[in-house]
Amino acid sequence: MQLLWQILVNGVLLGGLYALMALGLVLVWGVLNIVNLAHGALIMLGAYACYYLFTGLGWDPFAALPVAMVLLFCLGYVIQRYVLNLIIRAPMFNTLLITFGFEVVITYLAQIAFSADFRTINPSYAGANFSFLGATVPLVRLLAFAVALALTLGLWLFLEHTRIGRAIRATAQNLIAARLYGVNPRHLYALTFGIGAALAGAAGTLYGVVSQINPYIGSGLTGKSFAIAIIGGLDKSIYVLAGGLFLGIVEAVTALYIGPTYTDVVSFGILVLVLIVRPTGLLGRTA
Amino acid sequence: MDDILEVRSLTKRFQGLLAIDHVSFALQRNEILGLIGPNGAGKTTMISLISGTLEPSEGEVIFEGVSIRRLPAYRRGRLGIARTFQVMRPFPDLTVLDNVAVGALFGATGHSQVLQDARERAQRWLEFVGLDRRAQQRAESLGGPDRKRLELAKALAMRPKVLLLDEVMAGLNHVEIEEVITVIKKVREQGISILVIEHVMKAIQSLSDRLLVLRNGEKIAEGRPQEVLSNEQVIAAYLGTKRHE
Amino acid sequence: MKFSTKLALAGVGIALLATVPWWGSAVLVQFGINALILATLAQSWNIIGGYTGYPSFGNSVFYGLGGYGVAIAMVQYGLPFPVGLAIGIGLAVGFAILLGLPVLRLRGHYFAIATLGLAEVMTAIVSNLEIAGRNVGLILPLVKGDVLFFELSLILLVVTTLAVMWISRSRFGFGLIAIRENEQAAAVMGVNTTLYKILAFALCSVFAAVAGGIHAYWITYLDPGSAFDVALNVKMIIMAVFGGPGTIFGPVLGAFVLSAISEILAAKVTSLASIFFGIVIVAAIVFMPRGFADLVRRFRQSGWRYFQENIRTYRV
């Protein structure tokens, strides 16, 4: 019983991070109709940005997070504005293929720049734990969870209550409505993708703190983000959060009762099941 | 008189919306039955229920005395029920000829197994509807009236016993409408029974042996055109949506 | 170009290719085997993706099952290679039918993601199986002689292409195309869409499985990551899409040309091997998204403006 509680706590903490990982993917997918197969690669870049700020400049990883977000935002903006904007009206299938191309390029550049070794980001307080109703909660995981939650909330507030945020949401409906907000669509699209990339960068930073990274983690993380997005539902940020928490808990429980090597079987198995039975996600509206 | 198609107490619900409400009627062999009613009355839904595109919530569809309610759409097509779509659905990347050839390949009894044979048959149907000049054009490139001809040819190539036509005259001018009426009558001469949905009042009056009127998913009148069109309920149904034809 | 001319050219091409192992360098032969296998995969994808219009991201599963069928048969049970292939094919077809049934009911991009998910699930499952050597994989018995593998791969490609040729002129193929163009209309016209989709899926699984089996035996090593390589899916799709989906020779051309371009570019700057593949993909999607077939057709009319027009059509 005690063990189950610990597992649940672990799962929830992981779930918050998962939700953040999927958030950028869902935003870009919902608004721009772009299925970004390079999403995981962007997460990976965020992790490395934080790593180098941490080891090179001695910054605390949570302080480096905003910087990583800004860097990834710029990268995302440029990618969308100068490349993806050129194909935005093509069939969605093309976005799958082109983002795959990006994934290949980014991964290889990363491999050359950073080498293939595994790295971790280990701040001085990495070992600190405290107890929560009998479960051990590592400080870094709690902080990561808190940041993930804060960013998820932040995105929702941004989309609901700012002019640009509402313009972005309007774009998801149709472009003409978006023009009414007076924002240049090319810029708007680039902003959206940039925000998606920034969220990926934040997720990467947090991921780097709680787990190991190397240039090849991209495709696995993309897959996982997909699973979370589909399982939760693409319509709202809250669905993504639910999807992330759900998957986090499921994986933690699977790791305990079946075995840690089976987590992917379960995650992707659920993804396929959800698609077959309820494609709009466990919470999404029936199409 | 022999009923080739019968619909009994047919009902369709969409998540709380009652689209078709316990409708019963029969299509007699070799007759032209007109299906009319204001917009949203459920006419296209009715055709989709008969063709198998939609599953009924309750009720029966009986073809040549046998229940086909459980049969999937493709089986009904093979048995001899063909339909056109209101929102025309050609196979865009195929030529006009090949579009019709699909019907010849997969349609009712006596369908071709060989491509060449199917194409020859398709050519003849194109001549029948007047599209033979455009046989090699890509279906996508056709204009409105030609698309309707294509829809008809595709359905005919299936050698159906029952033809369900969904607004084949919408958007056509008077000359084109006359042509379509002529073609439909020729189709009936071939022994095919026809159910026609139409908004063009004058046309459907002159074309149909009998009329069936739907409103809000319910049948409100059935019978010879003169009787039906002088029925008070029918007139009331159309008030406000009266078409000037 | 008339079909009989294309056929004649193809015949000459095959004859020429068959002789390569005798005059080509070892590197060329190896490149050839890889290209032939990729071409087979692209062609097999063509059946479900190009003709039927269901973009599968799960053909790597069939490829992997073929590889593991051969590996397990030969390593764990000492069975000969052809038996291993048969087992691999059996596994792949079984998978195609069992999982095809639920998954082929999904449309467009949901189907794509579902098959992607299946690929991930299979990778994860196999890396837990004792008999498959778990994460470590299996090492197959060594057979010397790339010539054998080259010719085998060539034969496989020819057979696969012949199958596609048969499809393009058969009633079955017409049904598939009708499904691609408009599934609902196809159904009302009498096409048994469920059966046809499953058949197409099963057919492409056969060729992908044999390709996987041959490849595994050739490189004598197999592990879940490389067998069920998700990136392989995207590669075969890109090759088929660029060559011309729904055509007979398109995917083969696409595979050969894209492989060649990547190899040549990579040879010039050796440390940046795969990166060129990525760049080529991005450039190709931007400038010629409808593939080579379309490029050839329209280039005659528009010349270099073809590329500009593509961008103009699809940009913001």
Side-chain angles (χ1 to χ4, degrees):
Chain A
M1 192 56 215
Q2 179 62 16
L3 192 51
L4 184 59
W5 171 240
Q6 174 74 54
I7 291 297
L8 279 172
V9 169
N10 289 355
V12 168
L13 291 176
L14 183 61
L17 175 56
Y18 274 178
L20 182 64
M21 264 173 33
L23 211 54
L25 181 73
V26 172
L27 178 68
V28 166
W29 192 345
V31 173
L32 301 176
N33 216 27
I34 290 179
V35 179
N36 184 8
L37 285 183
H39 182 73
L42 295 174
I43 296 178
M44 180 266 294
L45 286 180
Y48 273 100
C50 177
Y51 176 79
Y52 282 107
L53 286 169
F54 174 69
T55 54
L57 297 177
W59 285 27
D60 178 275
F62 289 95
L65 185 140
V67 178
M69 284 182 76
V70 170
L71 285 172
L72 264 300
F73 174 85
C74 295
L75 178 63
Y77 188 95
V78 166
I79 290 179
Q80 177 69 39
R81 181 107 196 207
Y82 298 109
V83 185
L84 288 176
N85 267 351
L86 293 176
I87 62 146
I88 196 120
R89 285 182 9 216
M92 187 211 251
F93 192 60
N94 293 24
T95 67
L96 268 162
L97 299 181
I98 204 177
T99 52
F100 175 73
F102 278 122
E103 204 262 344
V104 170
V105 172
I106 293 176
T107 307
Y108 260 77
L109 288 176
Q111 182 213 322
I112 292 166
F114 311 137
S115 97
D117 301 332
F118 276 96
R119 319 256 189 200
T120 49
I121 302 172
N122 270 322
S124 53
Y125 48 86
N129 293 329
F130 60 93
S131 187
F132 175 65
L133 296 179
T136 314
V137 175
L139 179 62
V140 282
R141 287 200 178 242
L142 183 65
L143 286 173
F145 178 76
V147 172
L149 232 54
L151 283 172
T152 307
L153 184 64
L155 179 70
W156 179 76
L157 286 171
F158 173 75
L159 290 176
E160 287 280 321
H161 297 294
T162 66
R163 190 172 135 263
I164 297 268
R166 283 199 287 264
I168 290 179
R169 275 170 56 219
T171 309
Q173 310 304 323
N174 73 71
L175 190 52
I176 300 176
R179 279 190 212 254
L180 290 173
Y181 283 87
V183 188
N184 172 358
R186 285 191 201 114
H187 174 64
L188 199 58
Y189 286 174
L191 263 181
T192 310
F193 197 83
I195 294 175
L199 289 169
T205 309
L206 298 177
Y207 186 84
V209 170
V210 305
S211 180
Q212 293 183 315
I213 63 174
N214 78 11
Y216 304 109
I217 57 175
S219 59
L221 290 176
T222 306
K224 186 126 314 167
S225 304
F226 262 102
I228 298 161
I230 298 275
I231 291 174
L234 296 174
D235 307 315
K236 301 184 184 171
S237 327
I238 193 82
Y239 292 170
V240 182
L241 182 60
L245 290 173
F246 177 77
L247 207 67
I249 295 174
V250 163
E251 283 196 2
V253 171
T254 306
L256 175 66
Y257 289 112
I258 308 180
T261 50
Y262 285 90
T263 52
D264 275 355
V265 178
V266 174
S267 304
F268 291 113
I270 295 182
L271 164 64
V272 176
L273 273 170
V274 169
L275 276 171
I276 292 175
V277 174
R278 218 186 136 79
T280 47
L282 292 176
L283 293 176
R285 227 152 288 138
T286 319
Chain B
M1 247 166 316
D2 173 27
D3 296 337
I4 190 169
L5 180 72
E6 196 188 334
V7 153
R8 281 187 204 155
S9 209
L10 202 56
T11 308
K12 179 65 184 173
R13 285 185 200 91
F14 288 110
Q15 283 179 313
L17 172 69
L18 190 58
I20 300 282
D21 190 359
H22 295 91
V23 175
S24 302
F25 69 89
L27 175 68
Q28 288 157 11
R29 215 174 269 277
N30 225 18
E31 87 166 321
I32 297 180
L33 178 64
L35 179 54
I36 62 176
N39 277 327
K43 309 189 290 289
T44 301
T45 309
M46 177 60 73
I47 286 202
S48 293
L49 287 170
I50 298 174
S51 72
T53 313
L54 285 177
E55 264 182 53
S57 312
E58 287 169 44
E60 262 302 345
V61 183
I62 298 173
F63 179 68
E64 294 196 309
V66 179
S67 164
I68 58 170
R69 187 197 156 143
R70 302 234 173 276
L71 290 185
Y74 83 91
R75 289 282 296 278
R76 304 191 196 188
R78 301 242 185 121
L79 278 178
I81 300 178
R83 70 167 289 181
T84 63
F85 283 91
Q86 188 181 15
V87 177
M88 289 153 295
R89 297 165 173 253
F91 299 122
D93 222 31
L94 289 179
T95 60
V96 166
L97 182 69
D98 282 346
N99 261 267
V100 182
V102 174
L105 281 173
F106 292 98
T109 50
H111 60 252
S112 316
Q113 291 281 359
V114 177
L115 207 50
Q116 191 52 37
D117 188 38
R119 280 188 171 137
E120 279 166 26
R121 293 223 224 154
Q123 184 70 29
R124 280 181 262 143
W125 287 114
L126 285 180
E127 285 164 17
F128 184 84
V129 301
L131 263 185
D132 44 295
R133 306 162 277 129
R134 301 204 189 277
Q136 292 306 324
Q137 268 185 259
R138 280 179 68 224
E140 211 172 27
S141 62
L142 290 184
D146 278 340
R147 283 200 184 197
K148 293 189 186 282
R149 291 198 180 98
L150 180 58
E151 277 286 298
L152 188 57
K154 282 164 69 180
L156 290 173
M158 289 169 65
R159 306 282 224 109
K161 297 181 183 171
V162 169
L163 185 58
L164 310 168
L165 296 175
D166 198 345
E167 298 209 28
V168 283
M169 298 181 207
L172 298 185
N173 65 39
H174 288 300
V175 175
E176 288 157 349
I177 289 178
E178 287 301 322
E179 283 171 8
V180 173
I181 293 181
T182 315
V183 170
I184 294 178
K185 288 187 175 161
K186 276 204 284 181
V187 168
R188 189 251 287 268
E189 278 162 31
Q190 307 224 334
I192 300 177
S193 318
I194 308 176
L195 176 67
V196 194
I197 295 181
E198 215 28 86
H199 271 303
V200 182
M201 275 305 172
K202 222 173 178 194
I204 200 146
Q205 256 187 290
S206 64
L207 189 56
S208 315
D209 300 321
R210 292 189 303 143
L211 281 184
L212 179 69
V213 189
L214 285 185
R215 180 171 80 159
N216 292 334
E218 282 181 288
K219 176 172 85 171
I220 61 174
E222 180 182 4
R224 312 206 121 259
Q226 307 94 295
E227 296 161 18
V228 167
L229 289 172
S230 51
N231 179 316
E232 278 177 15
Q233 273 195 301
V234 173
I235 296 174
Y238 272 98
L239 263 176
T241 59
K242 197 153 187 277
R243 317 275 270 193
H244 302 283
E245 304 296 350
Chain C
M1 200 189 285
K2 274 182 62 198
F3 185 69
S4 46
T5 325
K6 281 191 198 172
L7 210 52
L9 270 174
V12 170
I14 295 172
L16 268 175
L17 274 174
T19 64
V20 165
W22 279 279
W23 50 262
S25 66
V27 173
L28 183 62
V29 174
Q30 282 179 7
F31 166 74
I33 297 176
N34 269 317
L36 286 168
I37 289 186
L38 273 173
T40 303
L41 287 173
Q43 194 66 291
S44 82
W45 186 87
N46 195 18
I47 298 174
I48 188 74
Y51 280 90
T52 317
Y54 273 75
S56 162
F57 274 76
N59 280 25
S60 60
V61 175
F62 305 137
Y63 178 82
L65 285 174
Y68 270 99
V70 166
I72 293 176
M74 296 184 79
V75 171
Q76 309 284 34
Y77 296 106
L79 297 166
F81 177 60
V83 178
L85 273 183
I87 294 179
I89 294 177
L91 286 171
V93 172
F95 188 88
I97 295 176
L98 272 169
L99 280 121
L101 265 161
V103 157
L104 283 163
R105 290 186 294 150
L106 301 166
R107 339 151 249 135
H109 51 276
Y110 282 122
F111 173 74
I113 296 170
T115 48
L116 192 59
L118 281 177
E120 296 275 8
V121 174
M122 281 313 286
T123 316
I125 290 180
V126 169
S127 51
N128 278 304
L129 286 179
E130 188 67 67
I131 198 177
R134 290 238 174 92
N135 249 316
V136 176
L138 295 170
I139 299 186
L140 288 91
L142 185 63
V143 166
K144 283 253 193 87
D146 280 352
V147 185
L148 174 63
F149 289 105
F150 189 93
E151 303 300 342
L152 269 177
S153 310
L154 181 59
I155 293 173
L156 178 61
L157 178 61
V158 171
V159 171
T160 313
T161 307
L162 283 172
V164 174
M165 198 179 300
W166 169 76
I167 286 180
S168 70
R169 23 185 69 202
S170 71
R171 180 168 171 266
F172 176 61
F174 242 72
L176 293 181
I177 295 175
I179 292 175
R180 175 189 79 207
E181 297 289 296
N182 194 324
E183 189 160 346
Q184 214 178 48
V188 266
M189 288 179 84
V191 179
N192 186 349
T193 52
T194 309
L195 178 67
Y196 272 39
K197 283 189 283 190
I198 303 238
L199 282 177
F201 208 35
L203 189 58
C204 79
S205 76
V206 170
F207 300 120
V210 177
I214 293 178
H215 189 258
Y217 198 19
W218 176 48
I219 58 172
T220 70
Y221 171 67
L222 195 64
D223 74 339
S226 61
F228 296 102
D229 187 10
V230 174
L232 196 58
N233 276 309
V234 192
K235 274 193 197 173
M236 67 173 105
I237 293 175
I238 287 173
M239 290 172 173
V241 168
F242 281 109
T247 66
I248 302 173
F249 296 112
V252 178
L253 234 77
F256 284 166
V257 172
L258 284 178
S259 298
I261 294 180
S262 302
E263 273 301 311
I264 294 172
L265 291 174
K268 301 220 171 228
V269 193
T270 39
S271 61
L272 294 179
S274 233
I275 204 179
F276 282 104
F277 195 66
I279 295 179
V280 165
I281 292 172
V282 175
I285 298 255
V286 173
F287 292 111
M288 38 174 284
R290 277 172 291 203
F292 289 123
D294 194 74
L295 169 67
V296 166
R297 229 188 298 161
R298 306 252 180 109
F299 198 76
R300 286 199 205 119
Q301 301 169 300
S302 330
W304 291 105
R305 270 187 15 247
Y306 173 74
F307 300 110
Q308 222 181 338
E309 276 166 20
N310 272 333
I311 297 182
R312 199 165 298 154
T313 320
Y314 294 122
R315 66 179 311 170
V316 176

